[in-house]
């Protein structure tokens, strides 16, 4: 009875494994779309190309939401991984928040259409690159959490590294903006866009910190 | 069979129930406690395999227990099992970990002292030494198995979800093996004292195989164990998981496997004859404590991890139970036999005073206190 249940359990676990992998793929792809979208915006501002990228991220976000709900339901309905269920749930939800941050930042660009002076373009782009790199490293750390627990640390330290670098760039950028002759309203708007992007590596670092604890819990 | 025979067997059934209620948790406790396996599944698998283990492989350890003191009158068996069950009950009430094995050995020695029967020092030494060896052996098994498992898992790089599925299956199979070993090794504790004075007769089953009186006793005892599992073990299972130190499901699997291997080694007549035929030293067939095997296995893993997180107070309590349990059982048995013989006028051993309890019981009463209970159960009743 339980044996046949276990055999069908193997089939169902394969499906769940795929869903988790797919969810992480969506996050990784969103970050790459985001990177291109920021580049496009800085180069051409709010063009169709940019809107298309926004739609891509939008689609990824809603697909990832579906996957997240499916994963969470299966974890609880099938009472899987009782020891790590809460941790996995927390991880998936925190990763999902990164997708919201990507989407939110691009929507802000699309709605407010900020005019970013050319001299800040390079720093905005670097900031966006650091944000994306930190998320990419976090995706690898998360994959390692599921398959190769010892490797979590190898990727986590990169998340910390990119977050620090992003902090440096954002501070430099904010100083440059507020030392400029721009109107205070524009300064505030440009600062907001720095923070929209900088929030991404900050959140990635928080998730990486929790992931490190989840990993320790699993090895005990 | 007369009703009074059944009455005398009740103490054994009580002891069986207590064993089922307590020791099933050693086999399925962590799996159920961590919700890896549902209690219903655990209870069914545990009951079925305890019965199989008891009926198929229960004879080996019973023989050794018989050598310690072959209780040859049913009222005597009743009191020994009752004393053991009372000791188990009192210790459980006091929140102390308890072993039915130690309780019944204490009770048998109590019977020996009361009836002036010499306790076979070789059998006693054999039993006592295995009590020391079994947790150490379980610790050794656990260390090797844990190292091997973690190495294999590190290499296999299984997905967390897949590992979970394998662990569930592993816990179920290890639990079935554990329950079989528990039945094989510990049925002697429950029904061993009744074997020389068995009220049952052998009967042939459609000319195919003989269902011996001992096997019938074991089936009855195993059913009592099963009843204990179904009715009372859930509570123990839910609290056992974190007793000594918290365990991951994989570590729990290692603990159950190591425990089961130890119980199996000390109960397997097949292994004994295999070792004998190959000129290797044999392993004595002795009922060992399931709880202590589990404690040994958990300590093995804990030591492998540097000994952190061990609750030594719990370990100390278990160590104290080692001495206290047989002592209580022995004293209760001695006093109980005194009352049974002098107040209720029951014959508590073959050559003793008191009236024969039952007509059907007269034949085994003539049986001398022998080292091997096997000839006694072959006598026609």
């Amino acid at each position: 009875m339980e044996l046949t249940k276990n055999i069908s359990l193997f089939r169902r676990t394969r499906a769940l494994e795929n869903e988790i992998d797919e969810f992480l793929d969506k996050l990784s792809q969103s970050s790459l779309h985001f990177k291109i979208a920021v580049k496009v915006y800085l180069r051409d501002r709010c063009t169709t190309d940019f809107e298309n990228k926004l739609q891509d991220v939008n689609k990824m976000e809603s697909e990832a939401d579906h996957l997240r709900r499916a994963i969470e339901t299966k974890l609880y309905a099938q009472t899987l991984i009782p020891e790590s269920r809460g941790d996995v749930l927390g991880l998936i939800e925190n990763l999902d928040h990164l997708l919201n941050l990507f989407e939110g930042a691009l929507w802000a660009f699309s709605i407010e259409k900020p005019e970013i002076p050319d001299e800040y373009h390079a720093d905005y782009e670097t900031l966006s690159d650091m944000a994306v790199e930190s998320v990419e490293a976090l995706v690898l750390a998360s994959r390692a959490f599921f398959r190769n627990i010892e490797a979590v640390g190898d990727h986590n330290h990169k998340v910390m590294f990119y977050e620090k670098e992003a902090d440096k760039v954002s501070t430099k950028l904010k100083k440059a903006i507020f030392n400029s002759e721009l109107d205070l309203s524009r300064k505030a708007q440009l600062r907001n866009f720095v923070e929209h992007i900088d929030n991404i590596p900050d959140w990635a670092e928080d998730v990486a910190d929790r992931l490190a604890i989840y990993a320790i819990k699993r090895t005990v | 069979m007369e009703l009074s025979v059944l009455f005398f067997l009740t103490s054994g059934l009580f002891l069986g129930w207590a064993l089922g209620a307590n020791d099933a948790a050693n086999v399925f406790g962590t799996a159920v406690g961590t919700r890896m396996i549902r209690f219903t599944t655990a209870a069914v698998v545990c009951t079925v395999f305890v019965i199989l283990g008891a009926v198929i492989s229960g004879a080996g350890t019973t023989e050794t227990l018989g050598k310690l003191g072959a209780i040859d009158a049913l009222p005597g068996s009743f009191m020994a099992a009752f004393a053991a069950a009372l000791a188990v009950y009192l210790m459980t009430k006091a929140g102390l970990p308890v072993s039915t094995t130690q309780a019944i050995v204490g009770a048998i020695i109590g019977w020996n002292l009361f009836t002036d029967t010499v306790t076979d020092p070789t059998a006693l030494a054999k039993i006592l030494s295995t009590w020391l060896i079994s947790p150490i052996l379980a610790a050794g098994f656990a260390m090797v198995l844990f190292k091997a498992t973690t190495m294999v898992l590190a290499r296999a790089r299984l997905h967390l979800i897949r590992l979970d599925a394998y662990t569930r299956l592993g816990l179920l199979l290890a639990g079935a093996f554990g329950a079989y070993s528990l039945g094989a090794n510990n049925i002697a504790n429950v029904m061993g004292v009744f074997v020389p004075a068995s009220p049952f007769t052998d009967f042939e089953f459609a000319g195919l195989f003989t269902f011996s009186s001992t096997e019938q006793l074991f089936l009855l005892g195993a059913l009592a164990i099963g009843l204990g599992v179904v009715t009372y073990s859930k509570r123990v299972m839910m609290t056992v998981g974190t007793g000594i130190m918290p365990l991951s499901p994989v570590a729990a699997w290692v603990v159950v496997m190591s425990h089961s291997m130890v119980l199996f080694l000390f109960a397997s007549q097949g292994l004994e004859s295999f070792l004998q035929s190959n000129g290797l030293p044999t392993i004595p067939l002795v009922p060992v404590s399931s709880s202590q095997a589990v404690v040994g296995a958990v300590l093995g893993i804990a030591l492998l991890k540097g000994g952190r997180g061990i609750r030594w107070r719990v370990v100390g309590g278990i160590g104290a139970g080692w001495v206290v349990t047989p002592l209580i059982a022995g004293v209760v048995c001695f006093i109980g036999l005194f009352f049974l013989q002098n107040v209720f006028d029951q014959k508590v051993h073959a050559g003793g005073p008191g009236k024969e309890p039952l007509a059907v019981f007269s034949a085994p009463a003539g049986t001398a206190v022998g080292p091997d209970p096997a000839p006694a159960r072959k006598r026609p009743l």
Side-chain angles (χ1 to χ4, degrees), chain A residues 2 10 17 79-82 146 148 220, chain B residues 34 36 41 157 159-160 162 164 168 305:
Chain A
E2 186 88 0
F10 286 122
E17 277 173 52
T79 59
L80 298 172
I81 47 165
F146 287 107
N148 181 16
V220 169
Chain B
T34 56
M36 292 290 276
T41 310
R157 290 194 183 170
H159 195 283
L160 175 63
R162 179 145 300 230
D164 177 71
R168 273 162 204 261
K305 288 180 171 177

mmCIF file with all atom_site columns, all heavy atoms in Angstrom, chain A residues 2 10 17 79-82 146 148 220, chain B residues 34 36 41 157 159-160 162 164 168 305:
data_model
loop_
_atom_site.group_PDB
_atom_site.id
_atom_site.type_symbol
_atom_site.label_atom_id
_atom_site.label_alt_id
_atom_site.label_comp_id
_atom_site.label_asym_id
_atom_site.label_entity_id
_atom_site.label_seq_id
_atom_site.pdbx_PDB_ins_code
_atom_site.Cartn_x
_atom_site.Cartn_y
_atom_site.Cartn_z
_atom_site.occupancy
_atom_site.B_iso_or_equiv
_atom_site.pdbx_formal_charge
_atom_site.auth_seq_id
_atom_site.auth_comp_id
_atom_site.auth_asym_id
_atom_site.auth_atom_id
_atom_site.pdbx_PDB_model_num
ATOM 1   N N   . GLU A 1 2   ? 1.713  1.351  1.071   1.00 0.00 ? 2   GLU A N   1
ATOM 2   C CA  . GLU A 1 2   ? 2.619  2.504  1.160   1.00 0.00 ? 2   GLU A CA  1
ATOM 3   C C   . GLU A 1 2   ? 3.712  2.395  0.110   1.00 0.00 ? 2   GLU A C   1
ATOM 4   O O   . GLU A 1 2   ? 4.208  3.391  -0.404  1.00 0.00 ? 2   GLU A O   1
ATOM 5   C CB  . GLU A 1 2   ? 3.242  2.549  2.565   1.00 0.00 ? 2   GLU A CB  1
ATOM 6   C CG  . GLU A 1 2   ? 4.076  3.779  2.833   1.00 0.00 ? 2   GLU A CG  1
ATOM 7   C CD  . GLU A 1 2   ? 3.284  4.963  3.367   1.00 0.00 ? 2   GLU A CD  1
ATOM 8   O OE1 . GLU A 1 2   ? 2.060  4.845  3.533   1.00 0.00 ? 2   GLU A OE1 1
ATOM 9   O OE2 . GLU A 1 2   ? 3.892  6.008  3.578   1.00 0.00 ? 2   GLU A OE2 1
ATOM 10  N N   . PHE A 1 10  ? 7.667  8.693  -6.443  1.00 0.00 ? 10  PHE A N   1
ATOM 11  C CA  . PHE A 1 10  ? 8.858  8.978  -7.247  1.00 0.00 ? 10  PHE A CA  1
ATOM 12  C C   . PHE A 1 10  ? 8.496  9.724  -8.518  1.00 0.00 ? 10  PHE A C   1
ATOM 13  O O   . PHE A 1 10  ? 9.221  10.605 -8.961  1.00 0.00 ? 10  PHE A O   1
ATOM 14  C CB  . PHE A 1 10  ? 9.617  7.690  -7.582  1.00 0.00 ? 10  PHE A CB  1
ATOM 15  C CG  . PHE A 1 10  ? 10.369 7.148  -6.400  1.00 0.00 ? 10  PHE A CG  1
ATOM 16  C CD1 . PHE A 1 10  ? 10.134 5.874  -5.933  1.00 0.00 ? 10  PHE A CD1 1
ATOM 17  C CD2 . PHE A 1 10  ? 11.296 7.932  -5.730  1.00 0.00 ? 10  PHE A CD2 1
ATOM 18  C CE1 . PHE A 1 10  ? 10.805 5.386  -4.822  1.00 0.00 ? 10  PHE A CE1 1
ATOM 19  C CE2 . PHE A 1 10  ? 11.976 7.451  -4.617  1.00 0.00 ? 10  PHE A CE2 1
ATOM 20  C CZ  . PHE A 1 10  ? 11.727 6.175  -4.164  1.00 0.00 ? 10  PHE A CZ  1
ATOM 21  N N   . GLU A 1 17  ? 10.423 18.329 -8.858  1.00 0.00 ? 17  GLU A N   1
ATOM 22  C CA  . GLU A 1 17  ? 11.819 18.751 -9.117  1.00 0.00 ? 17  GLU A CA  1
ATOM 23  C C   . GLU A 1 17  ? 11.871 19.655 -10.343 1.00 0.00 ? 17  GLU A C   1
ATOM 24  O O   . GLU A 1 17  ? 12.517 20.704 -10.332 1.00 0.00 ? 17  GLU A O   1
ATOM 25  C CB  . GLU A 1 17  ? 12.683 17.516 -9.418  1.00 0.00 ? 17  GLU A CB  1
ATOM 26  C CG  . GLU A 1 17  ? 13.188 16.769 -8.219  1.00 0.00 ? 17  GLU A CG  1
ATOM 27  C CD  . GLU A 1 17  ? 13.891 15.485 -8.644  1.00 0.00 ? 17  GLU A CD  1
ATOM 28  O OE1 . GLU A 1 17  ? 14.794 15.552 -9.503  1.00 0.00 ? 17  GLU A OE1 1
ATOM 29  O OE2 . GLU A 1 17  ? 13.506 14.434 -8.141  1.00 0.00 ? 17  GLU A OE2 1
ATOM 30  N N   . THR A 1 79  ? 2.709  16.348 1.945   1.00 0.00 ? 79  THR A N   1
ATOM 31  C CA  . THR A 1 79  ? 3.557  16.359 3.149   1.00 0.00 ? 79  THR A CA  1
ATOM 32  C C   . THR A 1 79  ? 5.001  15.945 2.843   1.00 0.00 ? 79  THR A C   1
ATOM 33  O O   . THR A 1 79  ? 5.571  15.087 3.500   1.00 0.00 ? 79  THR A O   1
ATOM 34  C CB  . THR A 1 79  ? 2.992  15.476 4.282   1.00 0.00 ? 79  THR A CB  1
ATOM 35  O OG1 . THR A 1 79  ? 2.881  14.145 3.800   1.00 0.00 ? 79  THR A OG1 1
ATOM 36  C CG2 . THR A 1 79  ? 1.664  15.962 4.778   1.00 0.00 ? 79  THR A CG2 1
ATOM 37  N N   . LEU A 1 80  ? 5.574  16.609 1.836   1.00 0.00 ? 80  LEU A N   1
ATOM 38  C CA  . LEU A 1 80  ? 6.949  16.285 1.455   1.00 0.00 ? 80  LEU A CA  1
ATOM 39  C C   . LEU A 1 80  ? 7.941  17.056 2.334   1.00 0.00 ? 80  LEU A C   1
ATOM 40  O O   . LEU A 1 80  ? 7.577  18.055 2.952   1.00 0.00 ? 80  LEU A O   1
ATOM 41  C CB  . LEU A 1 80  ? 7.181  16.641 -0.014  1.00 0.00 ? 80  LEU A CB  1
ATOM 42  C CG  . LEU A 1 80  ? 6.317  15.872 -1.011  1.00 0.00 ? 80  LEU A CG  1
ATOM 43  C CD1 . LEU A 1 80  ? 6.486  16.433 -2.407  1.00 0.00 ? 80  LEU A CD1 1
ATOM 44  C CD2 . LEU A 1 80  ? 6.664  14.397 -1.008  1.00 0.00 ? 80  LEU A CD2 1
ATOM 45  N N   . ILE A 1 81  ? 9.183  16.576 2.316   1.00 0.00 ? 81  ILE A N   1
ATOM 46  C CA  . ILE A 1 81  ? 10.299 17.164 3.090   1.00 0.00 ? 81  ILE A CA  1
ATOM 47  C C   . ILE A 1 81  ? 9.852  17.877 4.381   1.00 0.00 ? 81  ILE A C   1
ATOM 48  O O   . ILE A 1 81  ? 10.060 19.080 4.522   1.00 0.00 ? 81  ILE A O   1
ATOM 49  C CB  . ILE A 1 81  ? 11.168 18.109 2.213   1.00 0.00 ? 81  ILE A CB  1
ATOM 50  C CG1 . ILE A 1 81  ? 10.290 19.081 1.399   1.00 0.00 ? 81  ILE A CG1 1
ATOM 51  C CG2 . ILE A 1 81  ? 12.079 17.351 1.297   1.00 0.00 ? 81  ILE A CG2 1
ATOM 52  C CD1 . ILE A 1 81  ? 11.082 20.246 0.808   1.00 0.00 ? 81  ILE A CD1 1
ATOM 53  N N   . PRO A 1 82  ? 9.257  17.116 5.316   1.00 0.00 ? 82  PRO A N   1
ATOM 54  C CA  . PRO A 1 82  ? 8.750  17.772 6.523   1.00 0.00 ? 82  PRO A CA  1
ATOM 55  C C   . PRO A 1 82  ? 9.814  18.599 7.259   1.00 0.00 ? 82  PRO A C   1
ATOM 56  O O   . PRO A 1 82  ? 9.497  19.626 7.842   1.00 0.00 ? 82  PRO A O   1
ATOM 57  C CB  . PRO A 1 82  ? 8.245  16.620 7.390   1.00 0.00 ? 82  PRO A CB  1
ATOM 58  C CG  . PRO A 1 82  ? 8.794  15.386 6.785   1.00 0.00 ? 82  PRO A CG  1
ATOM 59  C CD  . PRO A 1 82  ? 9.046  15.659 5.356   1.00 0.00 ? 82  PRO A CD  1
ATOM 60  N N   . PHE A 1 146 ? 19.367 22.589 -3.372  1.00 0.00 ? 146 PHE A N   1
ATOM 61  C CA  . PHE A 1 146 ? 18.544 21.409 -3.663  1.00 0.00 ? 146 PHE A CA  1
ATOM 62  C C   . PHE A 1 146 ? 19.367 20.180 -4.046  1.00 0.00 ? 146 PHE A C   1
ATOM 63  O O   . PHE A 1 146 ? 18.951 19.060 -3.804  1.00 0.00 ? 146 PHE A O   1
ATOM 64  C CB  . PHE A 1 146 ? 17.549 21.731 -4.789  1.00 0.00 ? 146 PHE A CB  1
ATOM 65  C CG  . PHE A 1 146 ? 16.429 22.620 -4.328  1.00 0.00 ? 146 PHE A CG  1
ATOM 66  C CD1 . PHE A 1 146 ? 16.384 23.951 -4.705  1.00 0.00 ? 146 PHE A CD1 1
ATOM 67  C CD2 . PHE A 1 146 ? 15.437 22.138 -3.501  1.00 0.00 ? 146 PHE A CD2 1
ATOM 68  C CE1 . PHE A 1 146 ? 15.367 24.782 -4.275  1.00 0.00 ? 146 PHE A CE1 1
ATOM 69  C CE2 . PHE A 1 146 ? 14.405 22.953 -3.056  1.00 0.00 ? 146 PHE A CE2 1
ATOM 70  C CZ  . PHE A 1 146 ? 14.374 24.284 -3.439  1.00 0.00 ? 146 PHE A CZ  1
ATOM 71  N N   . ASN A 1 148 ? 23.292 20.043 -4.192  1.00 0.00 ? 148 ASN A N   1
ATOM 72  C CA  . ASN A 1 148 ? 24.684 19.866 -3.769  1.00 0.00 ? 148 ASN A CA  1
ATOM 73  C C   . ASN A 1 148 ? 24.970 20.856 -2.646  1.00 0.00 ? 148 ASN A C   1
ATOM 74  O O   . ASN A 1 148 ? 25.583 21.898 -2.854  1.00 0.00 ? 148 ASN A O   1
ATOM 75  C CB  . ASN A 1 148 ? 25.597 20.117 -4.987  1.00 0.00 ? 148 ASN A CB  1
ATOM 76  C CG  . ASN A 1 148 ? 27.053 19.922 -4.657  1.00 0.00 ? 148 ASN A CG  1
ATOM 77  O OD1 . ASN A 1 148 ? 27.392 19.328 -3.640  1.00 0.00 ? 148 ASN A OD1 1
ATOM 78  N ND2 . ASN A 1 148 ? 27.921 20.429 -5.518  1.00 0.00 ? 148 ASN A ND2 1
ATOM 79  N N   . VAL A 1 220 ? 23.246 19.415 9.480   1.00 0.00 ? 220 VAL A N   1
ATOM 80  C CA  . VAL A 1 220 ? 23.341 18.951 10.876  1.00 0.00 ? 220 VAL A CA  1
ATOM 81  C C   . VAL A 1 220 ? 22.740 17.557 11.009  1.00 0.00 ? 220 VAL A C   1
ATOM 82  O O   . VAL A 1 220 ? 21.677 17.324 10.491  1.00 0.00 ? 220 VAL A O   1
ATOM 83  C CB  . VAL A 1 220 ? 22.612 19.941 11.820  1.00 0.00 ? 220 VAL A CB  1
ATOM 84  C CG1 . VAL A 1 220 ? 22.461 19.345 13.208  1.00 0.00 ? 220 VAL A CG1 1
ATOM 85  C CG2 . VAL A 1 220 ? 23.384 21.235 11.910  1.00 0.00 ? 220 VAL A CG2 1
ATOM 86  N N   . THR B 2 34  ? 8.598  12.813 12.873  1.00 0.00 ? 34  THR B N   1
ATOM 87  C CA  . THR B 2 34  ? 8.921  13.864 11.894  1.00 0.00 ? 34  THR B CA  1
ATOM 88  C C   . THR B 2 34  ? 7.929  13.859 10.728  1.00 0.00 ? 34  THR B C   1
ATOM 89  O O   . THR B 2 34  ? 8.145  14.542 9.737   1.00 0.00 ? 34  THR B O   1
ATOM 90  C CB  . THR B 2 34  ? 10.346 13.696 11.338  1.00 0.00 ? 34  THR B CB  1
ATOM 91  O OG1 . THR B 2 34  ? 10.457 12.385 10.788  1.00 0.00 ? 34  THR B OG1 1
ATOM 92  C CG2 . THR B 2 34  ? 11.399 13.894 12.397  1.00 0.00 ? 34  THR B CG2 1
ATOM 93  N N   . MET B 2 36  ? 7.364  11.708 8.469   1.00 0.00 ? 36  MET B N   1
ATOM 94  C CA  . MET B 2 36  ? 7.820  11.117 7.204   1.00 0.00 ? 36  MET B CA  1
ATOM 95  C C   . MET B 2 36  ? 6.911  9.934  6.844   1.00 0.00 ? 36  MET B C   1
ATOM 96  O O   . MET B 2 36  ? 6.710  9.637  5.684   1.00 0.00 ? 36  MET B O   1
ATOM 97  C CB  . MET B 2 36  ? 9.268  10.615 7.311   1.00 0.00 ? 36  MET B CB  1
ATOM 98  C CG  . MET B 2 36  ? 10.297 11.711 7.470   1.00 0.00 ? 36  MET B CG  1
ATOM 99  S SD  . MET B 2 36  ? 10.509 12.688 5.984   1.00 0.00 ? 36  MET B SD  1
ATOM 100 C CE  . MET B 2 36  ? 11.663 11.690 5.058   1.00 0.00 ? 36  MET B CE  1
ATOM 101 N N   . THR B 2 41  ? 0.226  3.671  8.824   1.00 0.00 ? 41  THR B N   1
ATOM 102 C CA  . THR B 2 41  ? 1.126  2.827  8.030   1.00 0.00 ? 41  THR B CA  1
ATOM 103 C C   . THR B 2 41  ? 2.156  2.172  8.940   1.00 0.00 ? 41  THR B C   1
ATOM 104 O O   . THR B 2 41  ? 2.398  0.956  8.859   1.00 0.00 ? 41  THR B O   1
ATOM 105 C CB  . THR B 2 41  ? 1.863  3.688  6.984   1.00 0.00 ? 41  THR B CB  1
ATOM 106 O OG1 . THR B 2 41  ? 0.906  4.474  6.295   1.00 0.00 ? 41  THR B OG1 1
ATOM 107 C CG2 . THR B 2 41  ? 2.630  2.827  6.013   1.00 0.00 ? 41  THR B CG2 1
ATOM 108 N N   . ARG B 2 157 ? 24.396 13.326 -5.297  1.00 0.00 ? 157 ARG B N   1
ATOM 109 C CA  . ARG B 2 157 ? 23.811 14.658 -5.512  1.00 0.00 ? 157 ARG B CA  1
ATOM 110 C C   . ARG B 2 157 ? 22.334 14.600 -5.877  1.00 0.00 ? 157 ARG B C   1
ATOM 111 O O   . ARG B 2 157 ? 21.904 15.107 -6.920  1.00 0.00 ? 157 ARG B O   1
ATOM 112 C CB  . ARG B 2 157 ? 24.576 15.405 -6.600  1.00 0.00 ? 157 ARG B CB  1
ATOM 113 C CG  . ARG B 2 157 ? 25.933 15.801 -6.123  1.00 0.00 ? 157 ARG B CG  1
ATOM 114 C CD  . ARG B 2 157 ? 26.590 16.794 -7.008  1.00 0.00 ? 157 ARG B CD  1
ATOM 115 N NE  . ARG B 2 157 ? 27.922 17.075 -6.512  1.00 0.00 ? 157 ARG B NE  1
ATOM 116 C CZ  . ARG B 2 157 ? 28.830 17.757 -7.159  1.00 0.00 ? 157 ARG B CZ  1
ATOM 117 N NH1 . ARG B 2 157 ? 28.542 18.237 -8.357  1.00 0.00 ? 157 ARG B NH1 1
ATOM 118 N NH2 . ARG B 2 157 ? 30.002 17.976 -6.651  1.00 0.00 ? 157 ARG B NH2 1
ATOM 119 N N   . HIS B 2 159 ? 18.413 15.352 -5.704  1.00 0.00 ? 159 HIS B N   1
ATOM 120 C CA  . HIS B 2 159 ? 17.588 16.530 -5.430  1.00 0.00 ? 159 HIS B CA  1
ATOM 121 C C   . HIS B 2 159 ? 16.947 16.347 -4.063  1.00 0.00 ? 159 HIS B C   1
ATOM 122 O O   . HIS B 2 159 ? 16.587 15.230 -3.684  1.00 0.00 ? 159 HIS B O   1
ATOM 123 C CB  . HIS B 2 159 ? 16.521 16.666 -6.524  1.00 0.00 ? 159 HIS B CB  1
ATOM 124 C CG  . HIS B 2 159 ? 15.869 18.010 -6.547  1.00 0.00 ? 159 HIS B CG  1
ATOM 125 N ND1 . HIS B 2 159 ? 14.912 18.372 -5.642  1.00 0.00 ? 159 HIS B ND1 1
ATOM 126 C CD2 . HIS B 2 159 ? 16.045 19.082 -7.360  1.00 0.00 ? 159 HIS B CD2 1
ATOM 127 C CE1 . HIS B 2 159 ? 14.526 19.610 -5.907  1.00 0.00 ? 159 HIS B CE1 1
ATOM 128 N NE2 . HIS B 2 159 ? 15.204 20.061 -6.943  1.00 0.00 ? 159 HIS B NE2 1
ATOM 129 N N   . LEU B 2 160 ? 16.815 17.455 -3.343  1.00 0.00 ? 160 LEU B N   1
ATOM 130 C CA  . LEU B 2 160 ? 16.234 17.406 -1.990  1.00 0.00 ? 160 LEU B CA  1
ATOM 131 C C   . LEU B 2 160 ? 14.910 16.642 -1.965  1.00 0.00 ? 160 LEU B C   1
ATOM 132 O O   . LEU B 2 160 ? 14.648 15.822 -1.079  1.00 0.00 ? 160 LEU B O   1
ATOM 133 C CB  . LEU B 2 160 ? 16.024 18.845 -1.483  1.00 0.00 ? 160 LEU B CB  1
ATOM 134 C CG  . LEU B 2 160 ? 15.314 19.025 -0.148  1.00 0.00 ? 160 LEU B CG  1
ATOM 135 C CD1 . LEU B 2 160 ? 16.095 18.420 0.994   1.00 0.00 ? 160 LEU B CD1 1
ATOM 136 C CD2 . LEU B 2 160 ? 15.069 20.500 0.124   1.00 0.00 ? 160 LEU B CD2 1
ATOM 137 N N   . ARG B 2 162 ? 13.852 14.387 -4.134  1.00 0.00 ? 162 ARG B N   1
ATOM 138 C CA  . ARG B 2 162 ? 14.075 12.963 -4.444  1.00 0.00 ? 162 ARG B CA  1
ATOM 139 C C   . ARG B 2 162 ? 14.646 12.244 -3.217  1.00 0.00 ? 162 ARG B C   1
ATOM 140 O O   . ARG B 2 162 ? 14.247 11.128 -2.886  1.00 0.00 ? 162 ARG B O   1
ATOM 141 C CB  . ARG B 2 162 ? 15.044 12.858 -5.621  1.00 0.00 ? 162 ARG B CB  1
ATOM 142 C CG  . ARG B 2 162 ? 15.373 11.438 -6.018  1.00 0.00 ? 162 ARG B CG  1
ATOM 143 C CD  . ARG B 2 162 ? 15.544 11.347 -7.476  1.00 0.00 ? 162 ARG B CD  1
ATOM 144 N NE  . ARG B 2 162 ? 14.321 11.742 -8.154  1.00 0.00 ? 162 ARG B NE  1
ATOM 145 C CZ  . ARG B 2 162 ? 13.748 11.007 -9.098  1.00 0.00 ? 162 ARG B CZ  1
ATOM 146 N NH1 . ARG B 2 162 ? 14.262 9.869  -9.462  1.00 0.00 ? 162 ARG B NH1 1
ATOM 147 N NH2 . ARG B 2 162 ? 12.649 11.418 -9.675  1.00 0.00 ? 162 ARG B NH2 1
ATOM 148 N N   . ASP B 2 164 ? 14.138 12.988 -0.242  1.00 0.00 ? 164 ASP B N   1
ATOM 149 C CA  . ASP B 2 164 ? 13.017 12.839 0.681   1.00 0.00 ? 164 ASP B CA  1
ATOM 150 C C   . ASP B 2 164 ? 12.225 11.565 0.366   1.00 0.00 ? 164 ASP B C   1
ATOM 151 O O   . ASP B 2 164 ? 11.897 10.780 1.257   1.00 0.00 ? 164 ASP B O   1
ATOM 152 C CB  . ASP B 2 164 ? 12.128 14.080 0.569   1.00 0.00 ? 164 ASP B CB  1
ATOM 153 C CG  . ASP B 2 164 ? 10.889 13.987 1.428   1.00 0.00 ? 164 ASP B CG  1
ATOM 154 O OD1 . ASP B 2 164 ? 11.021 14.072 2.653   1.00 0.00 ? 164 ASP B OD1 1
ATOM 155 O OD2 . ASP B 2 164 ? 9.789  13.834 0.871   1.00 0.00 ? 164 ASP B OD2 1
ATOM 156 N N   . ARG B 2 168 ? 11.946 8.243  2.740   1.00 0.00 ? 168 ARG B N   1
ATOM 157 C CA  . ARG B 2 168 ? 10.664 7.666  3.202   1.00 0.00 ? 168 ARG B CA  1
ATOM 158 C C   . ARG B 2 168 ? 10.621 6.165  2.955   1.00 0.00 ? 168 ARG B C   1
ATOM 159 O O   . ARG B 2 168 ? 10.264 5.389  3.836   1.00 0.00 ? 168 ARG B O   1
ATOM 160 C CB  . ARG B 2 168 ? 9.512  8.282  2.423   1.00 0.00 ? 168 ARG B CB  1
ATOM 161 C CG  . ARG B 2 168 ? 9.002  9.540  3.030   1.00 0.00 ? 168 ARG B CG  1
ATOM 162 C CD  . ARG B 2 168 ? 8.196  10.311 2.023   1.00 0.00 ? 168 ARG B CD  1
ATOM 163 N NE  . ARG B 2 168 ? 8.196  11.704 2.377   1.00 0.00 ? 168 ARG B NE  1
ATOM 164 C CZ  . ARG B 2 168 ? 7.200  12.297 3.026   1.00 0.00 ? 168 ARG B CZ  1
ATOM 165 N NH1 . ARG B 2 168 ? 6.125  11.629 3.346   1.00 0.00 ? 168 ARG B NH1 1
ATOM 166 N NH2 . ARG B 2 168 ? 7.279  13.559 3.341   1.00 0.00 ? 168 ARG B NH2 1
ATOM 167 N N   . LYS B 2 305 ? 29.996 13.176 15.079  1.00 0.00 ? 305 LYS B N   1
ATOM 168 C CA  . LYS B 2 305 ? 29.877 14.619 14.826  1.00 0.00 ? 305 LYS B CA  1
ATOM 169 C C   . LYS B 2 305 ? 30.581 15.442 15.906  1.00 0.00 ? 305 LYS B C   1
ATOM 170 O O   . LYS B 2 305 ? 30.326 16.639 16.032  1.00 0.00 ? 305 LYS B O   1
ATOM 171 C CB  . LYS B 2 305 ? 28.397 15.011 14.778  1.00 0.00 ? 305 LYS B CB  1
ATOM 172 C CG  . LYS B 2 305 ? 27.709 14.523 13.521  1.00 0.00 ? 305 LYS B CG  1
ATOM 173 C CD  . LYS B 2 305 ? 26.268 14.938 13.540  1.00 0.00 ? 305 LYS B CD  1
ATOM 174 C CE  . LYS B 2 305 ? 25.615 14.647 12.199  1.00 0.00 ? 305 LYS B CE  1
ATOM 175 N NZ  . LYS B 2 305 ? 24.193 14.978 12.236  1.00 0.00 ? 305 LYS B NZ  1
#
